[in-house]
């Protein structure tokens, strides 16, 4: 039986704003809704969230995780959002085993809930909340090569119709989101997005070249302007490490007045 994995890197927007009708998230909501309609319905979902860092990769293993409202300053309704999807302890154990087999120390956490890096995009894509979900942390070293290695280790998973989501943001400069915009900022944003699209999608690159570009992402045009801290980019590294091939053409949306990219790798095993 062929095992198929859809791998997605998503730009997940600003906190709960995509769920609150914010006009600067309209295109993102449209893209995620359209994408969910095109994908095969997953049997389970693994989310690597930019909003969880641990000393070693850590996996939610509870059967019914709650939600973590890891944002502040939003209206009361944003703290009443529900997404009662089940956890998947068996999948969590498989992920733990895959990492261990690759020599990567990891741990299970049966107490942690799901943060907004999971429940915001999934409430848009799969509002019924009936697909089992597991969340995987980043490593707090924020080392690019380590996150590629985590993705490669996940290649050992054999779960038919698994959906793996790297939930981050291709542009994540908070001052630029909410401060004055202008041609210079737009040009920096555009230059980095073009580099990222070429890195992920260019079939003329070898996979060694693609991985090298991602390891040394700071050399990209305006890299540290677009990512003063790289936690929102690193879920993409895990996704590429798992996929090991060029992405499909990018999915682009304007979010908070900035160009943001998303990438899809369908992987048959």
């Amino acid at each position: 039986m062929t095992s198929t994995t859809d791998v997605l890197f998503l730009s997940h927007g600003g906190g709960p704003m995509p769920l609150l009708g914010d006009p600067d998230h309209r295109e993102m909501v449209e893209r995620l809704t359209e994408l969910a309609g095109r994908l095969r319905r997953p049997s389970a979902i693994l989310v690597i969230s930019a909003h969880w860092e641990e000393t070693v990769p850590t996996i939610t293993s509870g059967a019914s995780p709650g939600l973590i409202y890891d944002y502040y300053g939003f209206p009361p309704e944003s703290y009443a959002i529900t997404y009662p999807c089940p956890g998947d302890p068996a999948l969590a154990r498989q992920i733990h085993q895959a990492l261990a087999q690759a020599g990567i120390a990891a741990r299970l956490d049966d107490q942690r809930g799901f943060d907004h890096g999971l429940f915001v995009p999934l409430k848009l894509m799969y509002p019924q909340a009936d697909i089992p979900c597991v969340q995987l942390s980043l490593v707090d070293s924020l080392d690019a090569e380590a996150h590629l290695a985590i993705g490669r280790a996940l290649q050992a998973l054999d779960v038919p119709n698994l959906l793996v989501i790297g939930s981050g943001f291709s542009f994540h400069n908070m001052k630029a989101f909410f401060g004055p915009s202008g041609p210079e900022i737009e040009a920096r944003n555009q230059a980095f997005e073009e580099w990222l699209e070429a890195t992920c999608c260019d079939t003329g690159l070898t996979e060694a070249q693609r991985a090298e570009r991602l390891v040394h992402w700071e050399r990209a045009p305006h890299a540290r302007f677009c990512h003063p801290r790289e936690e929102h980019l690193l879920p993409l590294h895990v996704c590429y490490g798992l996929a090991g091939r060029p992405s499909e053409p990018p999915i682009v949306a304007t979010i908070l007045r900035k160009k943001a990219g998303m990438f899809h790798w369908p992987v048959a095993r």
Side-chain angles (χ1 to χ4, degrees):
M1 178 175 168
T2 300
S3 178
T4 302
T5 301
D6 277 304
V7 183
L8 297 174
F9 172 76
L10 301 181
S11 290
H12 63 215
M17 295 170 74
L19 303 178
L20 301 177
D22 178 67
D24 283 340
H25 287 79
R26 178 183 55 80
E27 288 188 14
M28 174 196 154
V29 171
E30 290 174 355
R31 300 295 182 275
L32 294 192
T33 303
E34 292 166 0
L35 187 56
R38 294 201 308 267
L39 294 175
R40 148 183 38 249
R41 177 180 166 84
S43 61
I45 301 172
L46 166 62
V47 176
I48 302 97
S49 171
H51 292 278
W52 186 19
E53 299 172 27
E54 296 285 353
T55 55
V56 298
T58 304
I59 308 124
T60 59
S61 58
S64 301
L67 299 188
I68 301 171
Y69 302 106
D70 53 336
Y71 40 72
Y72 60 93
F74 289 96
E77 59 266 29
S78 63
Y79 303 94
I81 292 168
T82 60
Y83 196 74
C85 65
D88 193 334
L91 175 58
R93 290 191 294 271
Q94 288 185 56
I95 295 165
H96 187 267
Q97 182 179 15
L99 293 169
Q101 287 174 343
I104 299 173
R107 71 181 184 90
L108 297 168
D109 185 337
D110 64 1
Q111 298 299 308
R112 191 183 192 275
F114 295 141
D115 62 51
H116 80 271
L118 183 148
F119 69 77
V120 167
L122 292 191
K123 195 170 180 72
L124 295 170
M125 296 176 74
Y126 302 105
Q128 298 83 2
D130 57 354
I131 300 171
C133 294
V134 169
Q135 194 170 320
L136 172 64
S137 78
L138 299 177
V139 178
D140 61 8
S141 67
L142 302 183
D143 179 75
E145 198 155 13
H147 289 85
L148 287 175
I150 290 168
R152 293 184 185 114
L154 298 178
Q155 292 178 8
L157 295 174
D158 187 12
V159 180
N161 298 334
L162 178 65
L163 173 59
V164 178
I165 294 177
S167 182
F169 217 140
S170 67
F171 179 94
H172 198 255
N173 181 319
M174 298 302 289
K175 289 182 180 179
F177 277 140
F178 298 107
S181 194
E184 182 182 354
I185 290 176
E186 291 173 7
R188 291 178 177 184
N189 173 208
Q190 179 70 25
F192 183 80
E193 291 295 326
E194 289 175 356
W195 176 90
L196 194 61
E197 290 175 9
T199 297
C200 291
C201 305
D202 186 352
T203 57
L205 294 174
T206 67
E207 298 317 311
Q209 290 171 327
R210 201 180 319 280
E212 179 77 3
R213 286 167 69 100
L214 287 170
V215 167
H216 298 291
W217 69 273
E218 290 176 276
R219 299 174 184 171
H222 310 292
R224 278 298 179 188
F225 173 78
C226 296
H227 290 278
R229 192 173 186 273
E230 55 264 52
E231 81 286 345
H232 274 72
L233 184 65
L234 289 174
L236 182 144
H237 289 67
V238 180
C239 288
Y240 171 68
L242 171 55
R245 49 156 289 182
S247 165
E248 299 289 292
I251 303 158
V252 179
T254 299
I255 305 173
L256 292 169
R257 298 172 292 129
K258 300 295 179 288
K259 181 180 178 182
M262 312 186 205
F263 301 94
H264 175 215
W265 296 263
V267 180
R269 304 195 182 283

